[in-house]
Amino acid sequence: MKKSLPQLRPFLVSLFALTLAACGGGEPPQEMPPPIVSTIVVETRPVHLEDELPGRVSALRTAEIRPQVGGIVLRRLFEQGAEVQAGQPLFQINPAPFKAEVDSAASALKRAVAAMERAKLQVDRLKPLVDADAVSQQLFDDALSQYNQSSADVAQAKAALARRQLDLDFATIRSPIAGRIGEELVTEGALVGQSDANPMARVQQIDQVYVDVRQPASMLEAIRKSAGQSASSDGGKDGNVKILDAQGNPYPVSGHILFSGINVDAGTGDVVIRIRVNNPERHLLPGMFVRAKVPQGGDIQGLLVPQQAVSRSSTGQARVWVVGQDGKAGVKNVELGKLVERQYLVRSGLAAGERVIVEGQDRLQPGMPVSAQPWALAADGKTVAP
């Protein structure tokens, strides 16, 4: 039996109310808060331009220890890898043959002296006799000639003794310079001579070292200018070149650029720049590969932005996100210069006083409102609280 429309009306009203409740009769959805970003305000400040160049360390002086006389090596008189002083004994060659030659030369000198003294007595004896015409002048002249020859023999014997004494001294091989000695290249019992191709050891002076780097010749004038400014400001006491290891960590040393003997490579157009570095703690060793921060001209005024604030478009255009006066994010194309202490020098595209987004830009869209907070960078490159 069908119900009439008036009877169905209460049922339809109840069904409609239940449908409205099921379809979300709750609270309206809330808006998402603006994303939080870290920003800095870029300002014009002095910028010290440097080039980081690879270089190689070499000793200030290197001495190859070689024998000046031949003989059998009796003893090694140094510790390998130790510091030695100039004149310090290093090897002892058997001195017995040289000592015998010294004794022989000393005996020859005594004979020559005795002959000279006898000739002197003869001259002294004939002198009054020739004055009294008791002997002939010819006899006196012969005696005087014999005396002069004896004097020459004495001088020759003294020279021979000095030479033999020198050979005896050379039997003790000494270091010609102060520095660090390496390993021994001959052992006790080896026969050595002046014509040997290989040295007995090597001594390197490394309290100061050279670092040789390459640089385009076009930058030479800027380097000269920086070196002159550094000398006038610090009196030449502190070096203006920093030395870094392969990971970019600085050594506790500094150096000066030497401009003598610089030649331009005709093939590459580069110059080899020699840097003299004080190395009292022996942090730098000959043969090491290092990096040198070489100044490039004087300080300039410029804008710097952190490296992580810069992104690139699909075409390679450098750009940064900025926060406008209205609190909304925008993108600006920039022209970058050198990387200075993990920050890019901005040549164009930004103005002093603008707020640049450093962190949080990966989730932004142009025109999106943002919540900006300050950002700071520690000396080691880590983010720190403002």
Side-chain angles (χ1 to χ4, degrees), residues 196-234:
D196 291 349
N198 297 322
M200 303 177 70
R202 289 185 178 88
V203 178
Q204 296 179 313
Q205 182 182 347
I206 57 174
D207 57 341
Q208 292 183 337
V209 295
Y210 293 126
V211 175
D212 295 328
V213 299
R214 286 184 173 271
Q215 181 77 310
S218 58
M219 301 301 298
L220 188 58
E221 190 57 37
I223 296 174
R224 290 182 186 273
K225 179 180 177 183
S226 296
Q229 290 179 348
S230 174
S232 62
S233 62
D234 59 21

Side-chain angles (χ1 to χ4, degrees), residues 21-90:
C23 288
E27 297 179 358
Q30 297 181 358
E31 294 184 0
M32 295 293 292
I36 299 176
V37 295
S38 298
T39 64
I40 60 168
V41 178
V42 294
E43 295 181 354
T44 303
R45 59 188 181 89
V47 179
H48 186 63
L49 298 181
E50 296 175 319
D51 256 357
E52 192 171 309
L53 304 172
R56 193 170 201 173
V57 180
S58 60
L60 184 69
R61 291 192 295 173
T62 300
E64 292 188 341
I65 307 304
R66 296 181 180 273
Q68 293 178 276
V69 293
I72 301 296
V73 178
L74 294 183
R75 293 188 303 277
R76 169 172 57 85
L77 306 174
F78 65 92
E79 291 295 330
Q80 300 178 80
E83 296 284 335
V84 297
Q85 302 300 318
Q88 178 177 331
L90 302 178

Side-chain angles (χ1 to χ4, degrees), residues 94-155:
N94 185 8
F98 309 108
K99 180 66 168 61
E101 291 181 357
V102 168
D103 293 341
S104 177
S107 299
L109 176 60
K110 288 181 179 180
R111 287 195 303 269
V113 171
M116 182 186 69
E117 290 176 350
R118 185 178 60 197
K120 180 70 166 57
L121 289 175
Q122 184 68 9
V123 170
D124 293 342
R125 186 179 299 115
L126 294 177
K127 176 65 172 161
L129 296 176
V130 75
D131 292 340
D133 291 330
V135 296
S136 66
Q137 182 69 35
Q138 179 65 41
L139 184 61
F140 176 78
D141 291 342
D142 290 342
L144 184 59
S145 175
Q146 184 64 33
Y147 169 72
N148 292 334
Q149 184 176 351
S150 300
S151 298
D153 291 341
V154 169

Side-chain angles (χ1 to χ4, degrees), residues 2 28 40 45 54 64 68 86 96-97 104 115 118 147 181 210 216 240 245 256 266 282 299 321 326 379-380:
K2 298 182 178 179
I40 60 168
R45 59 188 181 89
E64 292 188 341
Q68 293 178 276
S104 177
R118 185 178 60 197
Y147 169 72
I181 192 167
Y210 293 126
N240 62 338
D245 62 15
H256 284 286
R282 310 317 194 252
D299 292 348
W321 287 85
D326 55 0
D380 58 359

Side-chain angles (χ1 to χ4, degrees), residues 126-377:
L126 294 177
K127 176 65 172 161
L129 296 176
V130 75
D131 292 340
D133 291 330
V135 296
S136 66
Q137 182 69 35
Q138 179 65 41
L139 184 61
F140 176 78
D141 291 342
D142 290 342
L144 184 59
S145 175
Q146 184 64 33
Y147 169 72
N148 292 334
Q149 184 176 351
S150 300
S151 298
D153 291 341
V154 169
Q156 183 178 6
K158 286 183 178 179
L161 177 59
R163 184 68 182 89
R164 297 296 178 259
Q165 185 64 52
L166 193 60
D167 288 343
L168 179 60
D169 293 341
F170 285 158
T172 302
I173 301 176
R174 304 175 184 274
S175 175
I177 63 173
R180 179 172 293 180
I181 192 167
E183 62 179 332
E184 62 172 355
L185 302 178
V186 297
T187 59
E188 288 88 346
L191 175 63
V192 296
Q194 292 175 284
S195 60
D196 291 349
N198 297 322
M200 303 177 70
R202 289 185 178 88
V203 178
Q204 296 179 313
Q205 182 182 347
I206 57 174
D207 57 341
Q208 292 183 337
V209 295
Y210 293 126
V211 175
D212 295 328
V213 299
R214 286 184 173 271
Q215 181 77 310
S218 58
M219 301 301 298
L220 188 58
E221 190 57 37
I223 296 174
R224 290 182 186 273
K225 179 180 177 183
S226 296
Q229 290 179 348
S230 174
S232 62
S233 62
D234 59 21
K237 296 180 180 179
D238 300 323
N240 62 338
V241 179
K242 302 178 182 67
I243 308 298
L244 316 176
D245 62 15
Q247 288 73 37
N249 302 313
Y251 288 104
V253 297
S254 59
H256 284 286
I257 297 174
L258 304 177
F259 288 101
S260 59
I262 291 181
N263 295 320
V264 179
D265 189 323
T268 63
D270 292 344
V271 294
V272 177
I273 300 174
R274 171 154 282 191
I275 303 166
R276 185 167 177 168
V277 182
N278 290 322
N279 188 36
E281 301 298 326
R282 310 317 194 252
H283 292 289
L284 303 181
L285 299 177
M288 289 176 58
F289 285 97
V290 295
R291 305 189 68 83
K293 281 193 172 182
V294 180
Q296 299 290 336
D299 292 348
I300 64 171
Q301 297 293 321
L303 300 175
L304 292 176
V305 296
Q307 190 174 1
Q308 58 265 47
V310 179
S311 60
R312 295 192 179 269
S313 64
S314 58
T315 61
Q317 173 64 50
R319 58 186 185 177
V320 295
W321 287 85
V322 296
V323 179
Q325 297 293 335
D326 55 0
K328 295 181 180 180
V331 179
K332 282 195 170 186
N333 294 332
V334 293
E335 180 184 353
L336 302 178
K338 290 183 176 293
L339 188 63
V340 181
E341 299 293 339
R342 299 185 180 89
Q343 298 185 81
Y344 280 113
L345 175 64
V346 180
R347 298 193 179 279
S348 63
L350 277 181
E354 292 193 78
R355 283 194 297 172
V356 174
I357 298 175
V358 181
E359 294 178 347
Q361 63 268 49
D362 53 341
R363 55 182 182 271
L364 299 181
Q365 295 292 333
M368 177 184 293
V370 295
S371 176
Q373 65 180 12
W375 179 90
L377 184 67

